[in-house]
Amino acid sequence: MNMLSRIQTGVVHRPPRLLVYGPHGIGKTSLAAGAPDPILIQTEEGADEIGIPRFPLAQTFEDMMEAMAELSNNDHQFRSCILDSVDWAERLVWDYTCRQNGWTSIEQPGYGKGYIAALENWFHVLNMVNAMRDRGMAVIMLAHTEVKHFDDPTTDGYDRYQPALHKAASAKVQEAADAVLFMNWKIVTDEKKEGFGRKITKGMGNGSRQLFTEERPAALAKNRFSMPYRIDLPAGADAMWPAVAAHIPYFNAQ
């Protein structure tokens, strides 16, 4: 059979691989829990109150990979897998890499060699993510956020939000994701006049959340679905996921 006979045509909407990151306690897990028939692979504690089906807390890299293998190799009723969180999963990756090489810490080999070695195990994780997607599952990876200085070669440097991962792993996880979504509180500024003509600008919030889907200087983000730049999330946990899924073709094609 030649390659010409295998040419594919038409649009195919496959289950998405999403990376959702944001500050601690903003409701990332609650958002993801609204996905169709979810199951949680937990690498950190704190999801018991959500109440969705979940594997026991992964204490090792092997625990995490075994859970992924169960979902990718066996028949089950779940249609969405939530990995909560990838930054805590990174600790499991580092621990496994250290055990493989007889290191006491990921820093031991020096010159960043430990983090480069860990990438090989990150590739195993991402291969499992793809295997679950091939099985028909959406995969939602959650991460905390950090603020890092970015030296932009085209202008002055600035601080921005990004996933709380080592830069090498973060680049690979973001590359593998169909969308990198930054979840944050809606900030409203209030300008007040002080003495001597001074103006003080204060940031305030009312508990509203927003999801950013395209990169701006303030935060890393991307999407392959023509999503709006910003999605205002409804207040109720049950309403957050439909507001996001409405912009992802796979969920609308079902």
Side-chain angles (χ1 to χ4, degrees):
M1 181 181 296
N2 60 43
M3 291 298 294
L4 289 174
S5 66
R6 299 168 62 186
I7 291 175
Q8 299 176 344
T9 60
V11 177
V12 178
H13 298 305
R14 305 187 69 190
R17 300 159 298 185
L18 309 178
L19 173 62
V20 180
Y21 75 103
H24 176 75
I26 196 170
K28 299 181 293 294
T29 308
S30 296
L31 167 66
D37 300 319
I39 185 167
L40 179 67
I41 298 177
Q42 27 181 4
T43 59
E44 62 172 294
E45 296 181 332
D48 290 346
E49 299 299 324
I50 302 297
I52 65 172
R54 55 200 178 275
F55 288 99
L57 179 67
Q59 303 277 3
T60 65
F61 179 81
E62 292 92 334
D63 290 342
M64 178 177 66
M65 295 297 285
E66 183 178 357
M68 289 181 164
E70 289 284 337
L71 294 173
S72 61
N73 295 330
N74 298 314
D75 293 332
H76 53 77
Q77 75 274 24
F78 303 109
R79 293 192 289 155
S80 305
C81 174
I82 304 166
L83 179 58
D84 188 8
S85 63
V86 289
D87 40 305
W88 280 70
E90 183 168 55
R91 303 182 186 195
L92 304 183
V93 171
W94 289 349
D95 172 72
Y96 183 67
T97 305
C98 289
R99 285 188 279 122
Q100 284 179 309
N101 293 277
W103 300 331
T104 57
S105 79
I106 200 69
E107 296 273 359
Q108 181 180 331
Y111 303 103
K113 293 180 180 178
Y115 301 107
I116 298 302
L119 280 181
E120 184 64 31
N121 291 319
W122 270 115
F123 287 134
H124 294 320
V125 173
L126 295 175
N127 284 339
M128 277 296 184
V129 168
N130 290 333
M132 288 188 289
R133 194 267 298 265
D134 291 342
R135 189 78 181 188
M137 299 187 73
V139 182
I140 307 164
M141 300 172 281
L142 306 181
H144 298 95
T145 189
E146 63 182 2
V147 177
K148 286 281 190 179
H149 188 76
F150 176 62
D151 292 317
D152 192 329
T154 65
T155 185
D156 294 334
Y158 47 84
D159 291 344
R160 66 179 178 183
Y161 290 103
Q162 60 188 45
L165 292 167
H166 184 271
K167 60 182 181 181
S170 183
K172 293 304 178 185
V173 173
Q174 292 182 62
E175 181 182 318
D178 299 302
V180 177
L181 308 174
F182 173 53
M183 188 176 181
N184 200 13
W185 303 107
K186 183 177 182 179
I187 305 299
V188 179
T189 58
D190 181 35
E191 190 176 82
K192 294 184 177 181
K193 291 185 178 180
E194 300 288 334
F196 304 103
R198 292 191 309 156
K199 294 182 179 180
I200 304 297
T201 301
K202 295 183 178 181
M204 301 181 299
N206 59 5
S208 298
R209 303 170 178 88
Q210 297 177 315
L211 200 68
F212 296 89
T213 71
E214 296 177 0
E215 184 166 338
R216 294 291 190 277
L220 289 172
K222 75 167 191 180
N223 78 89
R224 297 170 180 161
F225 308 120
S226 300
M227 302 175 80
Y229 157 63
R230 183 186 66 229
I231 299 173
D232 293 313
L233 297 174
D238 293 342
M240 285 196 294
W241 175 260
V244 179
H247 303 287
I248 299 176
Y250 172 78
F251 296 113
N252 299 315
Q254 296 186 50

